[in-house]
């Protein structure tokens, strides 16, 4: 049974879907692992390291993907019209494609996977249940994004982060505010605290208050009855009412005016990112202040942020809109992502005397939660044609 690791071709993507360590583990399952040449270059993993782990190196996309039973990728395959290369074309019917597939943003691609006859699994749709934690790519990648966001903020900020007491005087610590306390937000808090900033944070989910305070940061929120019920069963934030948003915005506006750095991380699955920092709020911030918008790819938590750009406003506020932030730490991001994929595929492989074989329980919650297409059809309940 052949498993292919393909080189990523989308702009700005430096990660790879395997490491020498996961290649060894995949080989241990009885799989023939083939890595497209140069796949690990952006993550500082040369072909020779994959070979040392037991992989064969394919000279191009076609030979890597040909006859592969399983294909691992970081981002969804390029299709005709997106680039000069069609990454789906060399995959065979019946293959398993395991990747982050952006189904909300690329619904047309789902039909292409179905027409090709492949079983496509979107790893970002992994159910947030205990036994799937080790497969949760959103958590593993967001953790690094939150860390990197604070480093990017420190780079743009023209002052020191920690308090410094010197013979020439005292440097006050930076005040850093984190908006959205998911995995990225919590890591941003922890990183900013390590760098010596005075940290505060906000989120609409009541469970985050204790998490924020446990990291040594203060919690900022309008704690009314709506706030107490503002979390889905899956642990995601709910869309809040306009009345609550107005009250929260008033509180946040007064707080933001006093901050040196703001990191925003708020996302709602399948919907545009909520606006957390209005243009008027930005105007109240001090010259030299920094905003890092981790939601910029989903429309942004600030309407002034621009994907892939660092913008300086008329009043001297720097707004950082770097995209694919986890890829800016490609080596570690690849290692975590590759482990997520390994943990996903391992229970699906059964090794017998005749060699490895796929044994998939199509009714398993992990499978139904991530499988987009199967047997020529779009089958995911959210994206199927009759999903309503």
């Amino acid at each position: 049974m052949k498993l292919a690791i393909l080189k990523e071709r989308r702009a700005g993507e430096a990660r790879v879907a395997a490491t020498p360590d996961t290649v060894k583990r995949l080989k241990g399952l009885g799989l023939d692992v083939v890595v497209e040449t140069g796949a690990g270059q952006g993550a500082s993993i040369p072909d020779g390291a994959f070979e040392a782990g037991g992989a064969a190196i394919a000279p191009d996309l076609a030979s890597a993907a040909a006859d592969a039973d399983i294909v691992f990728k970081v981002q969804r395959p390029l299709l005709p019209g997106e680039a000069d290369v069609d990454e789906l074309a060399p995959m065979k019917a019946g293959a398993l494609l395991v990747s982050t597939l952006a189904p909300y943003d690329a619904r047309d691609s789902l039909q292409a996977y179905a027409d090709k006859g492949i079983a496509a699994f979107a790893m970002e749709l992994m159910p947030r249940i205990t036994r799937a934690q080790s497969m949760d790519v959103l958590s593993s990648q967001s953790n690094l994004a939150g860390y990197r966001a604070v480093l990017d903020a420190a780079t743009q900020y023209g002052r020191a982060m920690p308090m410094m007491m010197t013979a020439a005087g005292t440097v006050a610590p930076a005040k850093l505010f984190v908006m959205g306390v998911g995995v990225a937000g919590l890591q941003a808090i922890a990183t900013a605290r390590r760098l010596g900033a005075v940290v505060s944070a906000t989120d609409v989910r009541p469970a985050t208050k204790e998490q924020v305070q446990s990291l040594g940061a203060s919690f900022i929120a309008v704690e009314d009855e709506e706030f107490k019920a503002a979390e889905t069963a899956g642990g995601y934030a709910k869309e809040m009412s306009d009345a609550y948003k107005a009250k929260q915005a008033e509180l946040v506006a007064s707080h933001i005016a006093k901050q040196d750095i703001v990191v925003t991380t708020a996302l709602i699955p399948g919907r545009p990112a909520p606006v957390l920092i209005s243009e008027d709020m930005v105007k109240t911030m001090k010259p030299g202040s920094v905003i890092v918008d981790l939601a910029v790819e989903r429309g942004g938590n600030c309407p002034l942020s621009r994907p892939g750009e660092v913008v300086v406003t008329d009043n001297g506020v720097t707004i950082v809109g770097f995209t694919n932030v986890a890829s800016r730490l490609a080596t570690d991001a690849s290692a975590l992502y590759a482990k997520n994929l390994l943990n996903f595929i391992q229970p699906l492989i059964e090794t017998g005397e005749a060699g490895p074989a796929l044994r998939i329980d199509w009714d398993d919650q992990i499978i139904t939660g991530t499988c987009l297409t199967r047997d020529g059809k779009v089958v995911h309940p959210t994206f199927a044609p009759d999903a309503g």
Side-chain angles (χ1 to χ4, degrees):
M1 182 178 292
K2 177 180 175 180
L3 186 149
I5 311 296
L6 303 186
K7 180 180 180 179
E8 299 299 318
R9 291 172 168 82
R10 290 190 179 273
E13 184 53 74
R15 293 171 292 176
V16 62
T19 64
D21 178 64
T22 63
V23 165
K24 290 179 184 178
R25 300 278 297 277
L26 293 166
K27 290 286 291 183
L29 297 175
L31 300 173
D32 296 322
V33 182
V34 177
V35 177
E36 183 182 354
T37 185
Q41 184 175 357
S44 303
I45 306 174
D47 290 349
F50 284 120
E51 287 184 298
I57 303 300
D60 52 37
L61 168 65
S63 56
D67 299 321
D69 301 286
I70 304 167
V71 176
F72 279 0
K73 285 189 92 287
V74 177
Q75 294 207 34
R76 61 187 177 87
L78 288 164
L79 299 179
E82 293 185 281
D84 294 336
V85 61
D86 181 351
E87 293 184 306
L88 194 62
M91 298 183 199
K92 72 176 185 180
L96 269 62
L97 169 63
V98 184
S99 179
T100 56
L101 297 173
Y104 289 106
D105 299 321
R107 288 184 181 238
D108 291 347
S109 297
L110 275 59
Q111 191 58 52
Y113 308 148
D115 291 344
K116 186 68 178 179
I118 65 174
F121 293 87
M123 290 297 289
E124 67 267 52
L125 300 181
M126 187 64 62
R128 291 200 160 174
I129 57 176
T130 300
R131 63 190 176 91
Q133 287 180 349
S134 66
M135 311 171 196
D136 190 341
V137 301
L138 290 183
S139 291
S140 73
Q141 303 304 288
S142 294
N143 190 55
L144 289 171
Y147 166 79
R148 182 68 199 218
V150 174
L151 298 190
D152 288 337
T155 300
Q156 298 294 331
Y157 186 52
R159 297 167 58 187
M161 293 279 275
M163 174 183 284
M164 296 183 182
M165 302 181 68
T166 75
T170 300
V171 174
K175 296 177 181 178
L176 189 146
F177 183 38
V178 177
M179 303 185 75
V181 190
V183 174
L186 289 170
Q187 184 56 248
I189 292 169
T191 302
R193 287 279 296 159
R194 292 188 196 105
L195 292 176
V198 175
V199 184
S200 56
T202 189
D203 196 290
V204 298
R205 295 168 299 152
T208 60
K209 179 178 180 178
E210 184 176 345
Q211 297 170 334
V212 166
Q213 292 175 334
S214 72
L215 291 172
S218 57
F219 190 73
I220 308 295
V222 175
E223 300 185 45
D224 61 9
E225 291 303 314
E226 184 175 358
F227 171 79
K228 294 176 183 178
E231 188 170 349
T232 69
Y236 294 102
K238 283 184 179 178
E239 181 75 15
M240 305 299 282
S241 70
D242 290 340
Y244 182 88
K245 289 178 182 178
K247 291 187 290 184
Q248 179 72 355
E250 183 179 355
L251 175 64
V252 167
S254 62
H255 188 67
I256 281 178
K258 306 168 189 174
Q259 303 304 301
D260 300 303
I261 297 170
V262 182
V263 177
T264 70
T265 73
L267 289 167
I268 301 172
R271 301 187 64 177
V275 174
L276 303 181
I277 306 178
S278 67
E279 294 186 38
D280 288 339
M281 290 180 189
V282 175
K283 291 176 182 176
T284 70
M285 297 179 71
K286 298 172 289 187
S289 301
V290 177
I291 297 170
V292 179
D293 191 344
L294 284 181
V296 68
E297 290 172 273
R298 299 292 303 169
N301 296 140
C302 176
L304 298 178
S305 60
R306 298 290 178 265
E309 298 182 20
V310 176
V311 177
V312 180
T313 67
D314 291 340
N315 63 317
V317 177
T318 299
I319 304 177
V320 180
F322 293 138
T323 59
N324 196 3
V325 175
S327 185
R328 292 166 59 79
L329 295 165
T331 301
D332 287 332
S334 296
L336 296 180
Y337 181 81
K339 198 67 172 292
N340 292 146
L341 268 57
L342 171 67
N343 291 333
F344 173 76
I345 205 67
Q346 191 167 359
L348 310 184
I349 306 295
E350 183 178 278
T351 303
E353 293 183 3
L358 285 167
R359 293 289 184 269
I360 301 175
D361 178 0
W362 295 102
D363 295 321
D364 184 272
Q365 186 177 357
I366 290 173
I367 300 301
T368 59
T370 57
C371 185
L372 296 176
T373 62
R374 178 190 174 202
D375 297 333
K377 298 178 182 179
V378 178
V379 297
H380 194 281
T382 300
F383 305 102
D386 58 353

